[in-house]
Amino acid sequence: MLFFRTLHRACIGCLSAALVFLPVCADAARGKPPVTAAQPATPATALFSDTFRKVIEQGVANGAYRTVAVGVIDGKQTQKLYFGHRDGATTPAADDDSQFEIGALSEVFTGLLLAEAALEGKLRLRDPLRKYLPADFPFAEARVGDISLDALVTQHSGLPPQPTSLFPADVDDPYIDYAGEDLLAFLAFYRSLPAQEGIGYGYSVLNAGILGHLLGRIYTAPYTEVLTRKILAPLGLKHTSPRDDATLLPGHARGESAAHWHYGVLAGAASLRSSLPDLLQFLQHNLTPGDSPLRAALLLARQGRASGPADRIGLGWNVREAAAGETTWPLVWRASETAGFSTFVGFRTDRQRAIVLLGNAAEDLAGLGIAWLNDELPPPAPHGYVATASKDVAAYSGLYEISPGSDLIVRAHDGALSLQLPGLLPQRLHAVDKDVFVARVGVLGATFMRNVDEITGLVLHLNGNHASARRLSERAPQVAHTPIELHGGKRDEFLGDYSLDANTWMRVAKHADTLSVQLTMSERRVIFAYAPDRFADADGAVDLLFRRDGNGRIVGATLDLAGTQRSAIPLRRMPPGRPAP
Protein backbone atom coordinates (compact mmCIF):
# COMPACT_ATOMS: atom_id res chain seq x y z
CA MET A 1 0.00 0.00 0.00
CA LEU A 2 2.93 2.37 0.52
CA PHE A 3 3.39 2.44 -3.26
CA PHE A 4 -0.07 3.99 -3.71
CA ARG A 5 0.05 6.69 -1.04
CA THR A 6 1.83 9.25 -3.15
CA LEU A 7 -0.98 9.29 -5.72
CA HIS A 8 -3.44 10.49 -3.05
CA ARG A 9 -1.22 13.58 -2.72
CA ALA A 10 -0.31 14.03 -6.39
CA CYS A 11 -1.49 16.97 -8.42
CA ILE A 12 -3.51 15.12 -11.04
CA GLY A 13 -5.40 18.23 -11.05
CA CYS A 14 -1.47 16.82 -15.32
CA LEU A 15 3.45 10.46 -26.49
CA SER A 16 3.31 10.11 -33.54
CA ALA A 17 6.36 9.92 -35.44
CA ALA A 18 7.06 12.82 -37.83
CA LEU A 19 9.68 13.97 -40.32
CA VAL A 20 12.62 16.20 -39.46
CA PHE A 21 11.72 19.81 -40.19
CA LEU A 22 14.11 22.71 -40.49
CA PRO A 23 13.44 25.85 -38.43
CA VAL A 24 11.55 28.61 -40.12
CA CYS A 25 11.92 32.26 -39.20
CA ALA A 26 9.62 35.01 -40.27
CA ASP A 27 12.09 36.50 -42.76
CA ALA A 28 13.76 33.25 -43.75
CA ALA A 29 10.39 31.89 -44.84
CA ARG A 30 10.38 34.64 -47.45
CA GLY A 31 13.94 33.86 -48.54
CA LYS A 32 15.60 36.50 -46.35
CA PRO A 33 17.92 36.10 -43.36
CA PRO A 34 16.53 37.39 -40.05
CA VAL A 35 17.14 41.04 -39.24
CA THR A 36 17.23 42.64 -35.81
CA ALA A 37 16.49 46.22 -34.92
CA ALA A 38 20.07 47.03 -33.96
CA GLN A 39 22.15 44.70 -36.13
CA PRO A 40 22.46 43.78 -39.80
CA ALA A 41 21.27 40.40 -41.01
CA THR A 42 22.88 37.42 -39.27
CA PRO A 43 22.95 33.67 -40.01
CA ALA A 44 19.90 31.80 -38.72
CA THR A 45 21.90 29.78 -36.19
CA ALA A 46 24.29 32.46 -34.94
CA LEU A 47 22.57 32.93 -31.58
CA PHE A 48 20.86 29.55 -31.29
CA SER A 49 23.51 27.01 -32.17
CA ASP A 50 23.20 23.97 -34.43
CA THR A 51 23.58 21.73 -31.37
CA PHE A 52 20.38 23.07 -29.82
CA ARG A 53 18.62 23.28 -33.17
CA LYS A 54 19.25 19.59 -33.88
CA VAL A 55 17.79 18.55 -30.51
CA ILE A 56 14.53 20.32 -31.35
CA GLU A 57 14.50 18.90 -34.89
CA GLN A 58 14.97 15.40 -33.48
CA GLY A 59 12.22 15.99 -30.92
CA VAL A 60 9.90 16.95 -33.77
CA ALA A 61 10.96 13.86 -35.72
CA ASN A 62 10.29 11.67 -32.68
CA GLY A 63 6.78 13.07 -32.31
CA ALA A 64 7.49 14.55 -28.89
CA TYR A 65 7.22 18.15 -30.17
CA ARG A 66 4.75 19.58 -32.70
CA THR A 67 5.80 23.15 -33.29
CA VAL A 68 8.43 24.89 -31.17
CA ALA A 69 9.00 28.65 -31.18
CA VAL A 70 12.42 29.87 -30.07
CA GLY A 71 13.35 33.46 -29.31
CA VAL A 72 16.79 34.54 -28.04
CA ILE A 73 18.31 37.83 -27.01
CA ASP A 74 22.08 38.24 -26.79
CA GLY A 75 23.10 41.80 -26.10
CA LYS A 76 21.60 43.89 -28.88
CA GLN A 77 20.85 40.91 -31.14
CA THR A 78 17.49 39.15 -31.23
CA GLN A 79 16.51 36.05 -33.15
CA LYS A 80 13.27 34.13 -33.69
CA LEU A 81 13.01 30.60 -35.09
CA TYR A 82 10.06 28.29 -35.65
CA PHE A 83 10.28 24.50 -35.94
CA GLY A 84 7.90 21.68 -36.87
CA HIS A 85 4.18 21.87 -37.62
CA ARG A 86 1.24 23.39 -35.77
CA ASP A 87 -0.80 20.21 -35.98
CA GLY A 88 -0.51 17.57 -38.70
CA ALA A 89 2.37 17.17 -41.16
CA THR A 90 0.64 19.30 -43.81
CA THR A 91 0.30 22.36 -41.57
CA PRO A 92 2.93 25.10 -41.33
CA ALA A 93 5.04 25.96 -38.32
CA ALA A 94 3.96 28.61 -35.85
CA ASP A 95 4.69 32.26 -36.65
CA ASP A 96 4.79 35.65 -34.95
CA ASP A 97 1.00 35.76 -34.69
CA SER A 98 0.67 32.32 -33.08
CA GLN A 99 -0.47 32.16 -29.48
CA PHE A 100 0.51 29.45 -26.99
CA GLU A 101 -0.89 28.59 -23.57
CA ILE A 102 1.80 29.76 -21.15
CA GLY A 103 0.32 28.08 -18.07
CA ALA A 104 2.11 28.79 -14.80
CA LEU A 105 4.17 31.52 -16.45
CA SER A 106 0.99 33.53 -15.78
CA GLU A 107 2.17 33.58 -12.15
CA VAL A 108 5.08 35.83 -13.16
CA PHE A 109 2.58 38.42 -14.36
CA THR A 110 0.44 37.97 -11.24
CA GLY A 111 3.59 38.46 -9.16
CA LEU A 112 4.40 41.61 -11.11
CA LEU A 113 0.91 42.95 -10.43
CA LEU A 114 1.41 42.14 -6.74
CA ALA A 115 4.71 44.06 -6.78
CA GLU A 116 3.07 47.05 -8.47
CA ALA A 117 0.22 47.01 -5.92
CA ALA A 118 2.74 46.97 -3.06
CA LEU A 119 4.67 49.89 -4.58
CA GLU A 120 1.42 51.82 -4.96
CA GLY A 121 0.66 51.27 -1.27
CA LYS A 122 -2.40 49.13 -2.00
CA LEU A 123 -1.08 46.29 0.16
CA ARG A 124 1.86 44.92 2.10
CA LEU A 125 3.38 41.60 1.15
CA ARG A 126 3.05 40.38 4.75
CA ASP A 127 -0.68 41.10 4.87
CA PRO A 128 -2.86 38.07 5.68
CA LEU A 129 -5.37 37.06 3.03
CA ARG A 130 -8.23 37.57 5.53
CA LYS A 131 -7.60 41.32 5.27
CA TYR A 132 -9.02 41.31 1.75
CA LEU A 133 -12.09 39.18 2.45
CA PRO A 134 -15.25 40.26 4.32
CA ALA A 135 -14.58 40.91 8.01
CA ASP A 136 -16.99 38.17 9.08
CA PHE A 137 -15.69 35.52 6.67
CA PRO A 138 -16.26 32.13 8.42
CA PHE A 139 -12.90 30.32 8.40
CA ALA A 140 -13.21 26.84 9.90
CA GLU A 141 -9.45 27.01 10.47
CA ALA A 142 -8.30 30.49 11.52
CA ARG A 143 -4.77 29.85 10.23
CA VAL A 144 -6.07 29.72 6.66
CA GLY A 145 -7.04 33.37 7.01
CA ASP A 146 -3.58 34.12 8.40
CA ILE A 147 -1.76 32.95 5.24
CA SER A 148 0.20 35.95 3.96
CA LEU A 149 0.28 37.26 0.40
CA ASP A 150 4.02 36.62 0.51
CA ALA A 151 3.43 32.95 1.37
CA LEU A 152 0.99 32.63 -1.51
CA VAL A 153 3.29 34.11 -4.12
CA THR A 154 6.32 32.07 -2.99
CA GLN A 155 4.38 28.77 -2.72
CA HIS A 156 4.78 28.49 1.07
CA SER A 157 1.11 28.55 2.09
CA GLY A 158 0.70 24.87 3.00
CA LEU A 159 -2.41 24.61 0.81
CA PRO A 160 -3.07 21.40 -1.18
CA PRO A 161 -1.92 21.06 -4.83
CA GLN A 162 -5.41 21.81 -6.16
CA PRO A 163 -8.61 23.00 -4.47
CA THR A 164 -10.38 20.21 -2.67
CA SER A 165 -13.65 21.81 -3.82
CA LEU A 166 -12.76 21.18 -7.49
CA PHE A 167 -15.43 18.91 -9.00
CA PRO A 168 -15.09 19.44 -12.76
CA ALA A 169 -17.85 18.83 -15.25
CA ASP A 170 -15.09 18.01 -17.77
CA VAL A 171 -11.79 16.62 -16.50
CA ASP A 172 -10.17 17.57 -19.82
CA ASP A 173 -10.72 21.25 -18.88
CA PRO A 174 -11.10 20.92 -15.13
CA TYR A 175 -10.92 24.54 -13.91
CA ILE A 176 -13.18 26.24 -16.46
CA ASP A 177 -16.27 26.25 -14.24
CA TYR A 178 -14.44 26.83 -10.96
CA ALA A 179 -16.21 29.91 -9.62
CA GLY A 180 -15.81 32.39 -6.80
CA GLU A 181 -18.32 30.53 -4.63
CA ASP A 182 -16.28 27.32 -4.99
CA LEU A 183 -13.09 29.10 -3.94
CA LEU A 184 -14.80 30.73 -0.96
CA ALA A 185 -16.23 27.35 0.06
CA PHE A 186 -12.72 25.92 0.01
CA LEU A 187 -11.33 28.75 2.16
CA ALA A 188 -14.25 28.46 4.57
CA PHE A 189 -14.11 24.70 5.12
CA TYR A 190 -10.44 23.78 4.67
CA ARG A 191 -8.83 22.86 7.99
CA SER A 192 -5.84 20.65 7.12
CA LEU A 193 -2.87 23.03 7.08
CA PRO A 194 0.35 21.40 8.33
CA ALA A 195 1.88 22.57 11.60
CA GLN A 196 3.52 25.96 11.23
CA GLU A 197 7.03 24.54 11.49
CA GLY A 198 6.19 22.04 8.76
CA ILE A 199 5.16 24.56 6.09
CA GLY A 200 7.83 24.63 3.40
CA TYR A 201 7.69 24.96 -0.34
CA GLY A 202 4.72 23.19 -1.89
CA TYR A 203 3.38 24.09 -5.31
CA SER A 204 -0.36 24.68 -5.52
CA VAL A 205 -2.48 26.19 -8.27
CA LEU A 206 -4.43 27.76 -5.40
CA ASN A 207 -1.60 30.09 -4.39
CA ALA A 208 -1.47 32.39 -7.40
CA GLY A 209 -5.16 31.69 -8.08
CA ILE A 210 -6.18 33.08 -4.69
CA LEU A 211 -3.70 35.92 -5.11
CA GLY A 212 -5.23 36.95 -8.44
CA HIS A 213 -8.72 36.85 -6.91
CA LEU A 214 -7.59 39.05 -4.00
CA LEU A 215 -5.85 41.53 -6.32
CA GLY A 216 -9.13 41.90 -8.17
CA ARG A 217 -10.86 42.69 -4.87
CA ILE A 218 -8.14 45.17 -3.93
CA TYR A 219 -8.51 47.05 -7.22
CA THR A 220 -12.33 46.53 -7.22
CA ALA A 221 -12.29 45.11 -10.76
CA PRO A 222 -11.91 41.65 -12.33
CA TYR A 223 -8.36 40.34 -12.08
CA THR A 224 -7.86 40.02 -15.85
CA GLU A 225 -9.04 43.60 -16.39
CA VAL A 226 -6.65 44.90 -13.75
CA LEU A 227 -3.75 42.84 -15.14
CA THR A 228 -4.30 44.24 -18.63
CA ARG A 229 -4.55 47.85 -17.42
CA LYS A 230 -1.68 47.79 -14.91
CA ILE A 231 0.79 45.32 -16.46
CA LEU A 232 0.15 44.11 -20.00
CA ALA A 233 -0.74 47.45 -21.60
CA PRO A 234 2.15 49.45 -20.06
CA LEU A 235 4.60 46.76 -21.26
CA GLY A 236 3.11 46.80 -24.76
CA LEU A 237 2.04 43.14 -24.68
CA LYS A 238 -0.87 43.32 -27.11
CA HIS A 239 -1.09 39.60 -27.82
CA THR A 240 -1.09 38.37 -24.22
CA SER A 241 -4.49 37.66 -22.65
CA PRO A 242 -6.68 34.86 -21.25
CA ARG A 243 -8.81 34.77 -24.41
CA ASP A 244 -8.96 31.91 -26.92
CA ASP A 245 -8.21 33.97 -30.02
CA ALA A 246 -8.25 32.51 -33.52
CA THR A 247 -4.43 32.47 -33.43
CA LEU A 248 -4.29 30.10 -30.43
CA LEU A 249 -2.59 26.88 -31.52
CA PRO A 250 -4.04 23.41 -30.84
CA GLY A 251 -2.42 21.56 -27.95
CA HIS A 252 -1.03 18.02 -27.94
CA ALA A 253 -0.04 15.43 -25.35
CA ARG A 254 1.55 12.05 -25.93
CA GLY A 255 0.66 11.94 -29.59
CA GLU A 256 -2.95 13.06 -29.20
CA SER A 257 -4.84 16.34 -29.26
CA ALA A 258 -5.29 17.99 -25.87
CA ALA A 259 -7.98 20.43 -24.80
CA HIS A 260 -7.15 24.01 -23.94
CA TRP A 261 -7.34 24.74 -20.23
CA HIS A 262 -9.22 27.68 -18.69
CA TYR A 263 -8.93 28.65 -15.05
CA GLY A 264 -12.10 30.40 -13.93
CA VAL A 265 -11.62 32.24 -10.66
CA LEU A 266 -8.04 30.88 -10.45
CA ALA A 267 -7.00 32.90 -13.53
CA GLY A 268 -4.01 34.34 -11.68
CA ALA A 269 -2.37 30.90 -11.68
CA ALA A 270 -2.28 29.82 -15.32
CA SER A 271 -4.84 31.48 -17.60
CA LEU A 272 -2.71 33.47 -20.07
CA ARG A 273 -1.95 32.88 -23.74
CA SER A 274 0.91 34.73 -25.41
CA SER A 275 3.08 34.94 -28.54
CA LEU A 276 6.83 34.71 -29.07
CA PRO A 277 7.25 38.44 -29.91
CA ASP A 278 5.33 39.46 -26.78
CA LEU A 279 7.42 37.28 -24.47
CA LEU A 280 10.66 38.45 -26.06
CA GLN A 281 9.54 42.02 -25.46
CA PHE A 282 8.71 41.14 -21.84
CA LEU A 283 12.19 39.68 -21.33
CA GLN A 284 13.76 42.77 -22.85
CA HIS A 285 11.96 44.82 -20.20
CA ASN A 286 13.54 42.54 -17.58
CA LEU A 287 17.03 42.80 -19.08
CA THR A 288 16.87 46.59 -19.26
CA PRO A 289 14.29 47.58 -16.61
CA GLY A 290 15.55 51.16 -16.61
CA ASP A 291 13.81 51.60 -19.95
CA SER A 292 10.52 50.16 -18.68
CA PRO A 293 7.53 52.00 -17.17
CA LEU A 294 7.40 49.24 -14.52
CA ARG A 295 11.07 49.38 -13.53
CA ALA A 296 10.58 49.18 -9.75
CA ALA A 297 8.03 46.35 -9.95
CA LEU A 298 10.24 44.34 -12.33
CA LEU A 299 13.20 44.65 -9.96
CA LEU A 300 11.12 43.75 -6.89
CA ALA A 301 9.54 40.72 -8.55
CA ARG A 302 12.88 39.07 -9.35
CA GLN A 303 14.20 39.21 -5.78
CA GLY A 304 14.40 35.75 -4.17
CA ARG A 305 12.26 35.78 -1.02
CA ALA A 306 11.94 32.13 0.04
CA SER A 307 13.57 28.76 -0.51
CA GLY A 308 12.32 26.39 -3.20
CA PRO A 309 13.32 22.83 -4.12
CA ALA A 310 16.56 24.05 -5.75
CA ASP A 311 16.22 27.81 -6.23
CA ARG A 312 15.06 30.87 -4.40
CA ILE A 313 11.48 31.88 -5.15
CA GLY A 314 10.58 35.45 -6.06
CA LEU A 315 7.23 36.95 -6.99
CA GLY A 316 6.47 34.24 -9.52
CA TRP A 317 10.08 33.74 -10.65
CA ASN A 318 12.61 31.03 -9.81
CA VAL A 319 15.99 32.59 -9.03
CA ARG A 320 19.10 30.41 -9.41
CA GLU A 321 22.67 31.43 -8.68
CA ALA A 322 24.81 30.83 -11.79
CA ALA A 323 28.61 31.00 -11.85
CA ALA A 324 30.31 33.69 -13.90
CA GLY A 325 34.05 33.41 -13.28
CA GLU A 326 34.67 33.79 -9.57
CA THR A 327 31.31 35.44 -8.92
CA THR A 328 27.70 34.34 -9.19
CA TRP A 329 24.78 36.08 -10.85
CA PRO A 330 21.06 35.35 -10.71
CA LEU A 331 19.60 33.22 -13.47
CA VAL A 332 15.91 34.12 -13.42
CA TRP A 333 13.49 31.69 -15.05
CA ARG A 334 10.09 30.06 -15.11
CA ALA A 335 8.77 26.96 -16.87
CA SER A 336 5.32 25.45 -17.27
CA GLU A 337 3.42 22.54 -18.75
CA THR A 338 -0.34 22.49 -19.23
CA ALA A 339 -2.40 19.66 -20.72
CA GLY A 340 -1.10 20.40 -24.22
CA PHE A 341 1.62 23.09 -24.06
CA SER A 342 5.09 23.69 -22.65
CA THR A 343 6.82 27.00 -21.93
CA PHE A 344 10.19 28.25 -20.72
CA VAL A 345 11.43 31.82 -20.26
CA GLY A 346 14.66 32.89 -18.58
CA PHE A 347 17.28 35.63 -18.51
CA ARG A 348 20.66 36.62 -17.10
CA THR A 349 21.42 40.31 -16.69
CA ASP A 350 25.18 39.72 -16.34
CA ARG A 351 25.32 38.46 -19.92
CA GLN A 352 22.28 40.37 -21.19
CA ARG A 353 20.95 37.09 -22.51
CA ALA A 354 17.39 35.76 -22.54
CA ILE A 355 15.49 32.91 -24.14
CA VAL A 356 11.86 32.02 -24.82
CA LEU A 357 10.82 28.46 -25.71
CA LEU A 358 7.18 27.75 -26.59
CA GLY A 359 5.76 24.39 -27.65
CA ASN A 360 2.24 23.19 -28.36
CA ALA A 361 2.94 19.75 -26.89
CA ALA A 362 3.19 18.81 -23.22
CA GLU A 363 6.91 18.00 -23.44
CA ASP A 364 9.38 19.72 -21.09
CA LEU A 365 11.47 22.56 -22.55
CA ALA A 366 13.12 23.74 -19.33
CA GLY A 367 16.27 21.63 -19.76
CA LEU A 368 16.97 23.27 -23.10
CA GLY A 369 16.42 26.76 -21.71
CA ILE A 370 18.63 26.35 -18.64
CA ALA A 371 21.41 24.75 -20.71
CA TRP A 372 21.38 27.62 -23.24
CA LEU A 373 21.55 30.27 -20.53
CA ASN A 374 24.48 28.46 -18.87
CA ASP A 375 26.40 27.73 -22.12
CA GLU A 376 26.02 24.01 -21.47
CA LEU A 377 25.27 21.14 -23.83
CA PRO A 378 21.54 20.57 -24.33
CA PRO A 379 19.81 17.45 -22.97
CA PRO A 380 19.00 14.66 -25.45
CA ALA A 381 15.92 14.99 -27.61
CA PRO A 382 12.79 13.47 -26.03
CA HIS A 383 11.81 10.12 -27.47
CA GLY A 384 8.17 10.86 -28.15
CA TYR A 385 5.35 8.38 -28.42
CA VAL A 386 3.44 6.50 -31.08
CA ALA A 387 -0.26 6.31 -30.28
CA THR A 388 -1.42 2.87 -31.32
CA ALA A 389 -5.10 2.10 -31.03
CA SER A 390 -5.72 -1.51 -30.03
CA LYS A 391 -8.41 -3.45 -31.83
CA ASP A 392 -9.38 -5.23 -28.63
CA VAL A 393 -8.83 -3.25 -25.43
CA ALA A 394 -10.93 -5.86 -23.61
CA ALA A 395 -7.89 -8.12 -23.84
CA TYR A 396 -6.25 -6.02 -21.09
CA SER A 397 -9.10 -5.99 -18.58
CA GLY A 398 -8.90 -7.93 -15.36
CA LEU A 399 -7.76 -8.06 -11.76
CA TYR A 400 -4.02 -7.60 -11.15
CA GLU A 401 -2.18 -8.28 -7.90
CA ILE A 402 0.60 -5.81 -7.18
CA SER A 403 1.30 -7.16 -3.70
CA PRO A 404 -0.54 -9.53 -1.35
CA GLY A 405 -3.82 -7.89 -0.42
CA SER A 406 -3.35 -4.97 -2.86
CA ASP A 407 -5.05 -5.35 -6.21
CA LEU A 408 -5.68 -2.98 -9.07
CA ILE A 409 -8.47 -3.28 -11.62
CA VAL A 410 -8.35 -2.64 -15.37
CA ARG A 411 -11.70 -2.20 -17.11
CA ALA A 412 -12.60 -1.89 -20.80
CA HIS A 413 -15.60 0.25 -21.69
CA ASP A 414 -16.67 1.69 -25.06
CA GLY A 415 -13.30 0.90 -26.62
CA ALA A 416 -11.28 2.60 -23.86
CA LEU A 417 -9.41 1.43 -20.76
CA SER A 418 -9.49 2.63 -17.18
CA LEU A 419 -7.23 1.69 -14.29
CA GLN A 420 -8.35 1.76 -10.67
CA LEU A 421 -5.87 1.75 -7.81
CA PRO A 422 -6.88 0.86 -4.24
CA GLY A 423 -8.64 3.80 -2.60
CA LEU A 424 -9.05 5.79 -5.83
CA LEU A 425 -11.61 6.20 -8.57
CA PRO A 426 -10.76 4.74 -12.01
CA GLN A 427 -8.64 6.89 -14.32
CA ARG A 428 -8.96 6.81 -18.10
CA LEU A 429 -5.95 5.47 -20.00
CA HIS A 430 -4.82 6.32 -23.53
CA ALA A 431 -2.70 4.15 -25.82
CA VAL A 432 0.74 5.61 -26.53
CA ASP A 433 2.45 2.53 -27.97
CA LYS A 434 1.83 -1.18 -28.30
CA ASP A 435 0.68 -2.43 -24.87
CA VAL A 436 1.56 0.95 -23.31
CA PHE A 437 -1.13 3.22 -21.83
CA VAL A 438 -0.98 6.43 -19.80
CA ALA A 439 -3.43 8.74 -18.07
CA ARG A 440 -4.01 11.99 -19.98
CA VAL A 441 -3.17 14.13 -16.95
CA GLY A 442 -0.97 12.95 -14.14
CA VAL A 443 1.84 10.51 -13.57
CA LEU A 444 0.09 7.17 -13.99
CA GLY A 445 0.61 4.55 -16.69
CA ALA A 446 0.80 0.84 -17.39
CA THR A 447 2.87 -1.37 -19.69
CA PHE A 448 1.20 -4.74 -20.21
CA MET A 449 3.33 -7.89 -20.34
CA ARG A 450 2.67 -10.83 -22.66
CA ASN A 451 3.46 -14.51 -22.89
CA VAL A 452 3.12 -14.95 -26.65
CA ASP A 453 -0.36 -13.45 -27.20
CA GLU A 454 -1.64 -13.78 -23.65
CA ILE A 455 -1.57 -10.81 -21.25
CA THR A 456 0.06 -12.13 -18.07
CA GLY A 457 0.64 -8.96 -16.07
CA LEU A 458 1.62 -5.31 -16.19
CA VAL A 459 4.20 -2.84 -14.98
CA LEU A 460 2.57 0.04 -13.13
CA HIS A 461 4.20 3.46 -13.55
CA LEU A 462 3.31 5.84 -10.74
CA ASN A 463 5.05 9.10 -9.77
CA GLY A 464 8.35 7.91 -11.24
CA ASN A 465 8.15 4.53 -9.51
CA HIS A 466 7.57 1.20 -11.21
CA ALA A 467 6.08 -2.04 -9.89
CA SER A 468 5.04 -5.27 -11.56
CA ALA A 469 1.65 -6.90 -11.08
CA ARG A 470 0.52 -10.36 -12.10
CA ARG A 471 -2.84 -10.94 -13.69
CA LEU A 472 -5.25 -12.85 -11.45
CA SER A 473 -8.28 -12.90 -13.75
CA GLU A 474 -9.22 -11.92 -17.29
CA ARG A 475 -12.34 -10.09 -16.17
CA ALA A 476 -12.69 -7.13 -13.88
CA PRO A 477 -14.47 -8.17 -10.70
CA GLN A 478 -18.04 -6.91 -10.43
CA VAL A 479 -20.80 -7.57 -7.94
CA ALA A 480 -24.28 -7.43 -9.44
CA HIS A 481 -26.67 -5.18 -7.51
CA THR A 482 -30.37 -4.71 -8.10
CA PRO A 483 -31.40 -1.03 -7.94
CA ILE A 484 -34.13 -0.02 -5.52
CA GLU A 485 -36.35 3.03 -5.84
CA LEU A 486 -35.25 6.12 -3.94
CA HIS A 487 -37.82 8.87 -3.62
CA GLY A 488 -36.81 12.53 -3.90
CA GLY A 489 -37.13 13.47 -0.23
CA LYS A 490 -35.14 10.43 0.83
CA ARG A 491 -32.51 11.09 -1.83
CA ASP A 492 -31.95 14.70 -0.80
CA GLU A 493 -30.60 13.86 2.64
CA PHE A 494 -27.46 12.35 1.09
CA LEU A 495 -26.54 15.47 -0.91
CA GLY A 496 -23.50 17.48 0.11
CA ASP A 497 -19.73 17.72 0.36
CA TYR A 498 -17.67 15.36 2.51
CA SER A 499 -13.99 15.34 3.48
CA LEU A 500 -11.91 12.21 2.84
CA ASP A 501 -8.48 13.61 3.71
CA ALA A 502 -6.45 16.83 3.61
CA ASN A 503 -6.38 16.92 -0.19
CA THR A 504 -9.61 15.16 -1.17
CA TRP A 505 -13.27 15.99 -0.82
CA MET A 506 -16.25 13.97 -2.06
CA ARG A 507 -19.40 15.50 -3.54
CA VAL A 508 -22.73 13.67 -3.66
CA ALA A 509 -25.13 15.44 -6.01
CA LYS A 510 -28.34 14.88 -7.94
CA HIS A 511 -28.12 13.21 -11.33
CA ALA A 512 -31.43 12.81 -13.15
CA ASP A 513 -33.54 10.60 -10.87
CA THR A 514 -30.59 9.19 -8.94
CA LEU A 515 -27.26 10.45 -7.49
CA SER A 516 -23.67 10.96 -8.55
CA VAL A 517 -20.45 10.82 -6.58
CA GLN A 518 -17.27 12.70 -7.43
CA LEU A 519 -13.89 13.13 -5.76
CA THR A 520 -11.63 16.16 -6.05
CA MET A 521 -10.32 16.56 -9.63
CA SER A 522 -11.97 13.34 -10.81
CA GLU A 523 -14.75 12.32 -13.16
CA ARG A 524 -18.31 12.17 -11.90
CA ARG A 525 -19.80 8.68 -11.52
CA VAL A 526 -23.51 7.90 -11.44
CA ILE A 527 -24.56 5.73 -8.48
CA PHE A 528 -27.82 3.98 -7.57
CA ALA A 529 -29.27 2.69 -4.32
CA TYR A 530 -29.31 -1.07 -3.91
CA ALA A 531 -30.04 -1.25 -0.16
CA PRO A 532 -30.94 1.25 2.56
CA ASP A 533 -28.10 3.81 2.72
CA ARG A 534 -26.00 1.81 0.24
CA PHE A 535 -25.08 2.85 -3.29
CA ALA A 536 -22.94 1.50 -6.12
CA ASP A 537 -22.12 2.36 -9.73
CA ALA A 538 -22.80 0.20 -12.78
CA ASP A 539 -19.14 -0.87 -13.16
CA GLY A 540 -18.67 -1.89 -9.55
CA ALA A 541 -15.89 0.68 -9.10
CA VAL A 542 -17.69 2.43 -6.23
CA ASP A 543 -19.53 1.16 -3.18
CA LEU A 544 -20.80 3.84 -0.81
CA LEU A 545 -22.33 3.28 2.64
CA PHE A 546 -23.79 6.19 4.62
CA ARG A 547 -23.59 6.08 8.40
CA ARG A 548 -26.25 7.44 10.77
CA ASP A 549 -26.39 8.32 14.45
CA GLY A 550 -29.05 7.16 16.91
CA ASN A 551 -31.39 9.90 15.70
CA GLY A 552 -31.13 8.76 12.09
CA ARG A 553 -29.01 11.72 11.01
CA ILE A 554 -26.21 11.08 8.49
CA VAL A 555 -22.88 11.54 10.26
CA GLY A 556 -20.49 10.11 7.69
CA ALA A 557 -19.91 7.69 4.86
CA THR A 558 -17.58 4.83 3.97
CA LEU A 559 -16.35 4.66 0.40
CA ASP A 560 -15.05 1.32 -0.87
CA LEU A 561 -12.74 1.74 -3.88
CA ALA A 562 -11.08 -1.39 -5.26
CA GLY A 563 -11.14 -3.07 -1.85
CA THR A 564 -9.82 -0.10 0.13
CA GLN A 565 -12.22 1.72 2.44
CA ARG A 566 -12.03 5.45 3.03
CA SER A 567 -14.04 7.32 5.62
CA ALA A 568 -15.83 10.57 4.70
CA ILE A 569 -16.91 13.30 7.13
CA PRO A 570 -19.78 15.68 6.20
CA LEU A 571 -18.73 19.28 5.49
CA ARG A 572 -21.86 20.98 4.18
CA ARG A 573 -25.28 20.07 2.87
CA MET A 574 -26.08 20.79 -0.77
CA PRO A 575 -29.41 22.49 -1.43
CA PRO A 576 -31.91 19.87 -2.66
CA GLY A 577 -32.73 21.92 -5.75
CA ARG A 578 -29.11 22.16 -6.89
CA PRO A 579 -28.07 19.50 -9.42
CA ALA A 580 -24.50 18.48 -10.03
CA PRO A 581 -22.79 21.41 -11.80
Side-chain angles (χ1 to χ4, degrees), residues 506-526:
M506 176 180 76
R507 172 166 290 176
V508 179
K510 282 187 177 181
H511 184 90
D513 58 352
T514 183
L515 299 177
S516 68
V517 64
Q518 188 171 17
L519 304 189
T520 298
M521 194 60 165
S522 73
E523 293 183 293
R524 184 181 302 136
R525 300 190 73 86
V526 177

Side-chain angles (χ1 to χ4, degrees), residues 10 22 44 52 64 67 101 140 197 250 286 313 342-343 352 369 410 459 472:
L22 294 176
F52 281 82
T67 192
E101 284 185 17
E197 59 273 13
N286 281 277
I313 307 299
S342 183
T343 305
Q352 283 294 291
V410 176
V459 176
L472 299 180

